[in-house]
Amino acid sequence: VLKPGWVAVGDELMLLRQDEKRISVSMANNLMYQDKYNWDKIRDLLAVPFLSASWRETFSLRLEKKEES
């Protein structure tokens, strides 16, 4: 996302760049809400520089708890 805002029906979307590990918004959502213990994919997601600070914190804490146990 280059600029926050709204998308309407008929708006054109263009993929400008893709993460080298092919992390998508859909995959990130899946890791957040469904596949919560896929540690390898979580590590991949944490390597994405554009991940929001709040999501980075959530995934980092999840991974820290796993490594402490």
Side-chain angles (χ1 to χ4, degrees):
V1 175
L2 299 176
K3 182 176 142 186
W6 298 97
V7 178
V9 173
D11 286 353
E12 183 178 347
L13 301 176
M14 183 183 343
L15 179 63
L16 299 177
R17 178 172 53 205
Q18 189 166 29
D19 177 70
E20 65 185 44
K21 297 216 182 236
R22 303 185 63 86
I23 301 290
S24 66
V25 171
S26 177
M27 182 184 296
N29 278 319
N30 186 56
L31 290 169
M32 180 63 86
Y33 301 111
Q34 308 253 327
D35 196 13
K36 296 180 178 186
Y37 307 108
N38 188 332
W39 307 120
D40 291 334
K41 288 290 184 187
I42 288 173
R43 286 184 188 92
D44 289 345
L45 183 61
L46 286 169
V48 174
F50 305 110
L51 185 64
S52 73
S54 64
W55 278 46
R56 184 173 304 284
E57 181 178 5
T58 298
F59 285 113
S60 293
L61 288 172
R62 195 179 288 172
L63 193 57
E64 284 175 27
K65 286 180 185 178
K66 183 261 184 206
E67 292 172 350
E68 288 174 357
S69 59

